[in-house]
Coordinates of all heavy atoms in Angstrom, one line a residue:
M235 N 10.1 5.9 -4.0 CA 9.6 7.2 -3.6 C 8.9 7.1 -2.4 O 8.2 6.1 -2.1 CB 8.6 7.5 -4.9 CG 7.4 8.4 -4.4 SD 6.2 8.7 -5.8 CE 5.1 7.4 -5.5
Y236 N 9.0 8.1 -1.6 CA 8.5 8.2 -0.3 C 6.9 8.5 -0.5 O 6.6 9.5 -1.1 CB 9.1 9.2 0.6 CG 10.3 8.6 1.4 CD1 11.5 9.0 0.8 CD2 10.2 7.7 2.4 CE1 12.6 8.4 1.3 CE2 11.3 7.2 3.1 CZ 12.6 7.4 2.4 OH 13.7 6.9 3.0
V237 N 5.9 7.7 0.2 CA 4.6 8.0 0.2 C 4.2 8.7 1.5 O 3.5 9.7 1.6 CB 3.8 6.7 0.0 CG1 2.3 6.9 0.0 CG2 4.2 6.2 -1.5
C238 N 4.7 8.2 2.5 CA 4.4 8.7 3.9 C 5.7 9.2 4.4 O 6.5 8.4 4.9 CB 3.9 7.5 4.7 SG 3.4 8.1 6.5
M239 N 5.8 10.6 4.5 CA 6.9 11.1 5.0 C 6.9 11.0 6.6 O 8.1 11.1 7.2 CB 6.9 12.7 4.7 CG 6.8 12.9 3.1 SD 8.3 12.1 2.4 CE 9.5 13.5 2.7
C240 N 5.8 11.0 7.2 CA 5.7 10.9 8.8 C 6.5 9.7 9.2 O 7.1 9.7 10.3 CB 4.4 11.1 9.3 SG 3.6 12.7 8.8
Y241 N 6.3 8.6 8.5 CA 6.8 7.4 9.0 C 7.9 6.7 7.9 O 8.4 5.7 8.2 CB 5.7 6.3 9.2 CG 4.9 6.7 10.4 CD1 3.7 7.3 10.2 CD2 5.4 6.4 11.6 CE1 3.0 7.7 11.2 CE2 4.6 6.8 12.7 CZ 3.3 7.4 12.5 OH 2.6 7.8 13.6
G242 N 8.2 7.5 7.0 CA 9.4 7.1 6.0 C 8.9 5.9 5.2 O 9.8 4.9 5.1
V243 N 7.7 5.7 4.9 CA 7.2 4.5 4.0 C 7.2 4.8 2.5 O 6.6 5.8 2.1 CB 5.8 4.2 4.6 CG1 5.4 2.8 3.7 CG2 5.7 3.8 6.0
T244 N 7.9 4.0 1.8 CA 7.9 4.0 0.3 C 6.9 3.3 -0.4 O 6.1 2.4 0.3 CB 9.2 3.4 -0.1 OG1 9.4 2.1 0.2 CG2 10.5 4.1 0.6
D245 N 6.6 3.5 -1.6 CA 5.8 2.9 -2.4 C 6.1 1.4 -2.5 O 5.3 0.5 -2.5 CB 5.6 3.5 -3.9 CG 7.0 3.5 -4.6 OD1 8.0 3.5 -4.0 OD2 7.0 3.7 -5.8
K246 N 7.4 1.1 -2.6 CA 7.9 -0.3 -2.6 C 7.5 -1.0 -1.3 O 7.1 -2.2 -1.4 CB 9.3 -0.4 -2.8 CG 9.7 -0.1 -4.2 CD 11.3 -0.2 -4.4 CE 11.5 0.2 -5.9 NZ 12.9 0.4 -6.2
A247 N 7.5 -0.4 -0.2 CA 7.1 -1.1 1.0 C 5.6 -1.4 1.0 O 5.2 -2.5 1.5 CB 7.5 -0.2 2.2
I248 N 4.7 -0.5 0.4 CA 3.4 -0.7 0.4 C 3.1 -1.9 -0.6 O 2.3 -2.7 -0.2 CB 2.7 0.7 -0.1 CG1 2.9 1.7 1.1 CG2 1.2 0.3 -0.4 CD1 2.3 3.0 0.6
T249 N 3.7 -1.8 -1.8 CA 3.5 -2.9 -2.7 C 3.9 -4.3 -2.0 O 3.1 -5.3 -2.3 CB 4.3 -2.6 -3.9 OG1 4.0 -1.4 -4.6 CG2 4.2 -3.7 -5.0
Q250 N 5.0 -4.3 -1.4 CA 5.4 -5.4 -0.7 C 4.5 -6.0 0.3 O 4.2 -7.2 0.4 CB 6.9 -5.3 0.0 CG 7.5 -6.4 0.3 CD 9.0 -6.2 0.9 OE1 9.3 -5.1 1.2 NE2 9.7 -7.1 0.8
A251 N 3.9 -5.0 1.1 CA 2.9 -5.4 2.2 C 1.8 -6.0 1.4 O 1.0 -7.0 1.9 CB 2.5 -4.2 2.9
V252 N 1.3 -5.5 0.3 CA 0.0 -6.1 -0.4 C 0.4 -7.5 -0.9 O -0.3 -8.5 -0.7 CB -0.2 -5.1 -1.6 CG1 -1.4 -5.7 -2.3 CG2 -0.9 -3.8 -1.0
E253 N 1.6 -7.6 -1.6 CA 1.9 -8.8 -2.1 C 2.3 -9.8 -1.2 O 1.9 -11.1 -1.3 CB 3.1 -8.7 -3.2 CG 2.7 -7.8 -4.4 CD 3.9 -7.4 -5.3 OE1 5.1 -7.6 -5.0 OE2 3.6 -7.0 -6.4
E254 N 3.0 -9.6 -0.2 CA 3.5 -10.6 0.7 C 2.8 -10.8 1.9 O 2.8 -11.9 2.6 CB 5.0 -10.3 1.0 CG 5.9 -10.4 -0.3 CD 7.4 -10.1 -0.1 OE1 7.8 -10.0 1.1 OE2 8.1 -9.7 -1.1
A255 N 2.2 -9.7 2.4 CA 1.4 -9.9 3.8 C -0.1 -9.8 3.5 O -0.7 -10.0 4.5 CB 1.8 -8.6 4.7
G256 N -0.4 -9.7 2.3 CA -1.9 -9.8 2.0 C -2.7 -8.7 2.4 O -3.9 -8.7 2.6
V257 N -2.1 -7.5 2.5 CA -2.7 -6.3 2.8 C -3.6 -5.9 1.8 O -3.3 -5.9 0.6 CB -1.7 -5.1 3.1 CG1 -2.4 -3.8 3.2 CG2 -1.0 -5.4 4.4
G258 N -4.9 -5.6 2.2 CA -6.0 -5.2 1.1 C -6.7 -4.0 1.3 O -7.6 -3.5 0.5
N259 N -6.4 -3.3 2.3 CA -7.1 -1.9 2.5 C -6.0 -1.0 3.4 O -5.2 -1.5 4.1 CB -8.5 -2.0 3.1 CG -8.6 -2.8 4.5 OD1 -7.6 -2.5 5.3 ND2 -9.3 -3.9 4.4
L260 N -6.5 0.2 3.7 CA -5.8 1.1 4.5 C -5.6 0.7 5.9 O -4.6 1.0 6.5 CB -6.3 2.5 4.3 CG -6.0 3.3 3.1 CD1 -6.8 4.6 3.1 CD2 -4.5 3.6 3.0
R261 N -6.7 0.2 6.5 CA -6.7 -0.3 7.8 C -5.7 -1.3 8.1 O -4.9 -1.2 9.0 CB -8.1 -0.8 8.1 CG -8.2 -1.1 9.7 CD -9.6 -1.5 10.1 NE -10.1 -2.5 9.3 CZ -9.9 -3.8 9.5 NH1 -9.2 -4.2 10.5 NH2 -10.4 -4.7 8.6
E262 N -5.7 -2.3 7.2 CA -4.5 -3.3 7.3 C -3.3 -2.6 7.1 O -2.3 -3.1 7.7 CB -4.9 -4.4 6.3 CG -6.1 -5.2 6.6 CD -6.6 -6.2 5.6 OE1 -5.9 -6.3 4.5 OE2 -7.4 -6.8 5.8
L263 N -3.1 -1.7 6.1 CA -1.8 -1.1 5.9 C -1.2 -0.4 7.0 O 0.0 -0.4 7.4 CB -1.9 -0.2 4.7 CG -0.5 0.3 4.1 CD1 0.3 -0.8 3.6 CD2 -0.8 1.3 3.1
R264 N -2.2 0.3 7.8 CA -1.8 1.0 8.9 C -1.3 0.1 10.0 O -0.3 0.5 10.8 CB -3.1 1.9 9.5 CG -2.7 2.8 10.6 CD -3.9 3.7 10.8 NE -4.1 4.5 9.7 CZ -5.4 4.9 9.5 NH1 -6.4 5.0 10.5 NH2 -5.7 5.7 8.4
Q265 N -1.9 -1.1 10.1 CA -1.6 -2.1 11.1 C -0.1 -2.5 10.9 O 0.8 -2.7 11.7 CB -2.4 -3.3 11.3 CG -3.8 -2.9 11.7 CD -4.8 -4.1 11.7 OE1 -4.6 -5.0 10.9 NE2 -5.9 -3.8 12.3
H266 N 0.4 -2.6 9.6 CA 1.6 -3.1 9.2 C 2.7 -2.0 9.2 O 3.8 -2.2 9.7 CB 1.6 -3.7 7.8 CG 1.0 -5.0 7.7 ND1 -0.3 -5.4 7.9 CD2 1.9 -6.3 7.7 CE1 -0.4 -6.8 7.9 NE2 0.9 -7.3 7.7
L267 N 2.4 -0.8 8.6 CA 3.4 0.2 8.3 C 3.1 1.6 9.1 O 3.9 2.5 8.9 CB 3.5 0.4 6.9 CG 4.0 -0.8 6.1 CD1 3.9 -0.5 4.6 CD2 5.4 -1.3 6.5
N268 N 2.0 1.8 9.7 CA 1.6 2.9 10.3 C 1.3 4.2 9.3 O 1.1 5.3 9.6 CB 2.7 3.5 11.2 CG 2.5 3.1 12.6 OD1 1.5 2.6 12.9 ND2 3.5 3.2 13.5
V269 N 1.1 3.9 8.1 CA 0.8 4.8 6.9 C -0.5 5.5 7.4 O -1.3 4.8 7.6 CB 0.7 4.1 5.6 CG1 0.1 5.1 4.6 CG2 2.0 3.6 5.2
G270 N -0.4 6.8 7.3 CA -1.6 7.5 7.5 C -2.0 7.8 9.0 O -2.9 8.5 9.3
A271 N -1.2 7.4 9.9 CA -1.5 7.5 11.4 C -1.2 8.8 12.1 O -1.6 9.1 13.2 CB -0.8 6.2 12.2
Q272 N -0.5 9.7 11.1 CA -0.1 11.0 11.9 C -0.8 12.1 11.1 O -1.9 12.6 11.6 CB 1.5 11.2 11.5 CG 2.1 12.4 12.2 CD 2.2 12.2 13.7 OE1 2.3 11.1 14.2 NE2 2.4 13.3 14.5
C273 N -0.4 12.6 10.0 CA -1.0 13.8 9.4 C -2.2 13.4 8.4 O -3.1 14.1 8.2 CB -0.1 14.7 8.7 SG 0.6 13.9 7.2
G274 N -2.1 12.1 7.7 CA -3.0 11.7 6.9 C -2.9 12.1 5.4 O -3.6 11.7 4.6
K275 N -1.9 12.9 5.2 CA -1.6 13.4 3.8 C -1.3 12.3 2.8 O -1.5 12.5 1.6 CB -0.4 14.5 3.8 CG -0.9 15.7 4.4 CD 0.2 16.7 4.3 CE -0.1 18.0 4.9 NZ 1.1 19.0 5.2
C276 N -0.8 11.1 3.2 CA -0.5 10.1 2.4 C -1.5 9.2 2.0 O -1.3 8.2 1.2 CB 0.7 9.2 3.0 SG 0.2 8.6 4.7
I277 N -2.6 9.3 2.6 CA -3.8 8.2 2.5 C -4.2 8.1 1.1 O -4.4 6.9 0.7 CB -5.0 8.6 3.4 CG1 -4.6 8.5 4.9 CG2 -6.3 7.8 3.1 CD1 -5.6 8.9 6.0
Q278 N -4.4 9.0 0.3 CA -4.9 8.9 -0.9 C -3.8 8.2 -1.8 O -4.3 7.3 -2.7 CB -5.3 10.2 -1.6 CG -6.1 10.2 -2.9 CD -6.5 11.6 -3.3 OE1 -6.3 12.6 -2.8 NE2 -7.2 11.6 -4.4
M279 N -2.7 8.6 -1.8 CA -1.6 7.9 -2.6 C -1.5 6.6 -2.2 O -1.4 5.6 -3.0 CB -0.3 8.7 -2.4 CG 0.9 8.0 -3.2 SD 0.7 8.1 -4.8 CE 1.4 9.9 -5.1
A280 N -1.5 6.2 -0.8 CA -1.5 4.9 -0.4 C -2.5 4.0 -0.8 O -2.3 2.8 -1.3 CB -1.4 4.8 1.1
Q281 N -3.9 4.5 -0.9 CA -4.9 3.7 -1.4 C -4.7 3.4 -2.9 O -5.0 2.4 -3.3 CB -6.2 4.5 -1.2 CG -7.5 3.9 -1.6 CD -7.7 2.6 -0.9 OE1 -8.0 2.7 0.4 NE2 -7.7 1.3 -1.3
Q282 N -4.2 4.4 -3.7 CA -4.1 4.1 -5.1 C -3.0 3.1 -5.2 O -3.1 2.3 -6.2 CB -3.5 5.4 -5.7 CG -4.5 6.4 -5.9 CD -4.1 7.7 -6.4 OE1 -2.8 7.9 -6.8 NE2 -5.0 8.8 -6.6
I283 N -2.0 3.0 -4.4 CA -0.9 2.0 -4.6 C -1.6 0.7 -4.2 O -1.2 -0.3 -4.8 CB 0.4 2.3 -3.8 CG1 1.0 3.6 -4.3 CG2 1.4 1.2 -3.8 CD1 2.0 4.2 -3.4
I284 N -2.3 0.5 -3.2 CA -2.9 -0.8 -2.9 C -3.8 -1.2 -3.9 O -3.7 -2.4 -4.4 CB -3.8 -0.6 -1.5 CG1 -3.0 -0.3 -0.3 CG2 -4.6 -1.8 -1.3 CD1 -3.7 0.1 0.9
D285 N -4.6 -0.3 -4.6 CA -5.6 -0.6 -5.6 C -4.9 -1.1 -6.8 O -5.1 -2.2 -7.4 CB -6.5 0.6 -6.1 CG -7.5 0.9 -4.8 OD1 -7.7 0.2 -4.0 OD2 -8.0 1.9 -5.0
S286 N -3.8 -0.4 -7.3 CA -3.0 -0.7 -8.5 C -2.3 -2.1 -8.3 O -2.2 -2.9 -9.3 CB -2.2 0.3 -9.0 OG -1.2 0.6 -7.9
T287 N -1.8 -2.3 -7.2 CA -1.1 -3.5 -6.8 C -2.0 -4.7 -6.9 O -1.7 -5.8 -7.4 CB -0.2 -3.5 -5.5 OG1 0.5 -2.3 -5.5 CG2 0.4 -4.9 -5.3
I288 N -3.2 -4.6 -6.3 CA -4.2 -5.7 -6.4 C -4.7 -6.0 -7.8 O -4.9 -7.1 -8.2 CB -5.5 -5.3 -5.5 CG1 -4.9 -5.4 -4.0 CG2 -6.6 -6.3 -5.6 CD1 -6.0 -4.9 -3.1
I289 N -4.9 -4.9 -8.6 CA -5.4 -5.0 -9.9 C -4.2 -5.8 -10.7 O -4.4 -6.6 -11.5 CB -5.7 -3.8 -10.6 CG1 -6.9 -3.1 -10.1 CG2 -5.7 -3.8 -12.1 CD1 -7.2 -1.8 -10.4
D290 N -3.0 -5.4 -10.6 CA -1.8 -6.1 -11.2 C -1.7 -7.5 -10.8 O -1.5 -8.3 -11.7 CB -0.5 -5.4 -10.7 CG -0.4 -4.1 -11.5 OD1 -1.1 -3.8 -12.4 OD2 0.6 -3.3 -11.0
E291 N -2.0 -7.9 -9.6 CA -2.0 -9.2 -9.1 C -3.2 -10.0 -9.8 O -2.9 -11.1 -10.2 CB -2.1 -9.4 -7.6 CG -0.9 -9.1 -6.8 CD -1.1 -9.3 -5.3 OE1 -2.3 -9.4 -4.9 OE2 0.0 -9.4 -4.7
S292 N -4.3 -9.4 -10.0 CA -5.4 -10.2 -10.5 C -5.2 -10.5 -12.0 O -5.6 -11.5 -12.6 CB -6.8 -9.4 -10.2 OG -6.7 -8.2 -10.9
L293 N -4.5 -9.4 -12.7 CA -4.3 -9.5 -14.1 C -3.2 -10.7 -14.3 O -3.4 -11.4 -15.3 CB -3.8 -8.2 -14.6 CG -4.8 -7.1 -14.9 CD1 -4.2 -5.8 -15.3 CD2 -6.0 -7.5 -15.9
F294 N -2.2 -10.6 -13.3 CA -1.2 -11.7 -13.5 C -1.8 -13.0 -13.3 O -1.5 -14.0 -14.0 CB -0.2 -11.4 -12.4 CG 0.9 -12.5 -12.4 CD1 2.0 -12.3 -13.4 CD2 1.1 -13.4 -11.4 CE1 3.0 -13.4 -13.4 CE2 2.1 -14.4 -11.5 CZ 3.0 -14.4 -12.5
K295 N -2.8 -13.3 -12.4 CA -3.5 -14.5 -12.2 C -4.3 -15.0 -13.5 O -4.4 -16.1 -13.7 CB -4.2 -14.5 -10.9 CG -3.5 -14.5 -9.7 CD -4.4 -14.3 -8.4 CE -3.5 -14.2 -7.2 NZ -4.2 -13.7 -6.0
E296 N -5.0 -14.0 -14.1 CA -5.7 -14.3 -15.2 C -4.8 -14.8 -16.3 O -5.2 -15.7 -17.1 CB -6.5 -13.0 -15.8 CG -7.7 -12.8 -15.0 CD -8.4 -11.6 -15.4 OE1 -8.3 -11.2 -16.7 OE2 -9.2 -11.0 -14.7
V297 N -3.6 -14.3 -16.5 CA -2.8 -14.6 -17.6 C -2.1 -15.9 -17.3 O -2.0 -16.7 -18.3 CB -1.6 -13.6 -17.7 CG1 -0.5 -14.1 -18.7 CG2 -2.2 -12.2 -18.2
C298 N -1.8 -16.2 -16.2 CA -1.3 -17.6 -15.8 C -2.1 -18.7 -15.6 O -3.2 -18.7 -15.5 CB -0.3 -17.4 -14.5 SG 1.0 -16.1 -14.6
Ligands
FES177 FE1 1.8 9.8 6.2 FE2 1.9 12.0 7.5 S1 2.5 11.5 5.6 S2 0.9 10.2 8.1

């Protein structure tokens, strides 16, 4: 699903940036994918995806 229509960024691209590039906040995400740099409508959704991906990673580490 597209999160940022201005730059054509998907939820999968954001999840991948968090998991593989160590992105931990919106500022870092903007540096990688430009998310939120135009109209800003995608910021809230992008933040939620960053947060849920980090939570998923920490739960996975606890289990393993
Ligand atoms: Fe992301 Fe416009 S939808 S900057």
Side-chain angles (χ1 to χ4, degrees):
M235 144 186 104
Y236 280 100
V237 175
C238 180
M239 299 302 277
C240 294
Y241 291 98
V243 178
T244 63
D245 57 337
K246 285 184 180 158
I248 296 172
T249 301
Q250 192 173 20
V252 173
E253 290 175 347
E254 296 177 13
V257 166
N259 55 49
L260 278 172
R261 185 174 52 83
E262 292 172 356
L263 188 63
R264 190 173 301 158
Q265 290 170 350
H266 278 78
L267 301 173
N268 270 341
V269 170
Q272 186 77 24
C273 72
K275 288 180 182 171
C276 55
I277 287 176
Q278 191 173 358
M279 176 72 83
Q281 183 66 64
Q282 287 174 0
I283 294 169
I284 292 170
D285 291 345
S286 64
T287 305
I288 290 172
I289 289 168
D290 286 350
E291 279 186 345
S292 64
L293 288 176
F294 180 73
K295 285 176 186 165
E296 278 181 24
V297 172
C298 294

